[in-house]
Amino acid sequence: ASWYQRAYGLAVRARNRKEGIYALLGYGALLKDFGRHEEARRIYDRAARAAKRTRRLREAAEAQHDLLCIAAEVGDYREAERRARLALGMYPKRHGRVPFLLADFAFVLIGHHHFSAAFLLLDELSAAIDLPRDQVLMLGSLARAAGGTQNRARYEAAREAVERLTATYEEFAAAALVNLAEGARSLGEWDQAEKYAAAAREVAHRRRDRLLEHDAAELLERIAARQPAPTEAEPANPERLQALLLRFKTKLHNWKAPHQTRSGASHDAAAGTQPQCPEP
């Protein structure tokens, strides 16, 4: 935290507004990772205002994207949708984080059991994200959405891909395996659900990811009790959601990344290059 604060102070003194914004974005990411959501929200809002005031829409979009992720973590759907709209309107069409904005909003939709809408977004993304590390996350979410919509064929295809990728790319394996377990639970495949939840707990323990280890353990308890998975929930405003999904689809189709070897956040050094929201 002190290094981010020092960087911001130096940027202000040097009148380097761009680096000042990056310092705020990095500090906000640090606070978010510690679960200090209110403090992170204030820092991100500050970065968004500074970026918009200086007409740096790329950085303003990144701040709104990060605010979307905070709303996702605390379960505020309306706020997540509002931040998604703002980020969508500000991101340049070639920005590398555009696909991950779609993936992160799909995470929001899955968290609120809007599986059909999430599946549509993730299905569009399946051809856009080609970095194997990031495919682990996307395909895990796709498997969960497919299970929620009772699309067994797409679940199986995503499951096989995740199994193959997690053998090599373990960084996001625990989250993807939790999603496989949830997808299997939605389809009533209890033995498969138990297998993946147990594997997720083992990977999370090995990687010292306490949160995912706890989530996998809780999921194993629900599976043992044969607690049914959540079913499809009707959006509060289906027309508004459909219009937003169409905007997402258009944005992705217009997206022409010069390379896809990283997530493309321009403050990678401050906030990391992985997708910003946690997996459901």
Side-chain angles (χ1 to χ4, degrees), residues 54 89 273:
T54 56
T273 58

Side-chain angles (χ1 to χ4, degrees), residues 213-269:
E213 185 179 0
H214 176 265
D215 290 346
E218 284 197 338
L219 179 55
L220 277 169
E221 291 178 2
R222 290 193 290 272
I223 292 167
R226 295 296 188 264
Q227 181 179 332
T231 56
E232 181 84 31
E234 182 71 17
N237 192 323
E239 294 79 14
R240 185 175 64 198
L241 177 57
Q242 286 303 315
L244 180 57
L245 294 179
L246 181 59
R247 284 187 63 196
F248 271 123
K249 183 177 180 179
T250 301
K251 189 79 170 184
L252 185 63
H253 284 184
N254 292 334
W255 179 69
K256 302 290 183 181
H259 56 77
Q260 290 175 254
T261 58
R262 64 190 185 100
S263 302
S266 58
H267 62 290
D268 288 339

Side-chain angles (χ1 to χ4, degrees), residues 65 95-105 125 128-129 252 255 257 260 263:
H65 189 165
H95 197 292
R97 278 184 71 183
V98 166
F100 296 99
L101 178 65
L102 276 71
D104 289 338
F105 190 66
L125 274 174
I129 296 179
L252 185 63
W255 179 69
Q260 290 175 254
S263 302

Side-chain angles (χ1 to χ4, degrees), residues 103 106-107 110 115-127 134-159 161-162 175-176 179-180 182-183 187 279-280:
F107 160 72
I110 288 174
F115 299 115
S116 296
F119 181 83
L120 288 174
L121 278 184
L122 293 164
D123 193 38
E124 289 284 337
L125 274 174
S126 60
D134 297 327
Q135 284 182 337
V136 173
L137 285 170
M138 188 276 296
L139 290 168
S141 295
L142 180 61
R144 184 169 180 179
T149 59
Q150 299 298 300
N151 189 332
R152 189 176 293 273
R154 292 304 301 274
Y155 169 80
E156 288 294 337
R159 179 186 66 79
V162 169
N179 281 326
L180 289 188
E182 287 284 17
L187 293 168
E279 281 300 285

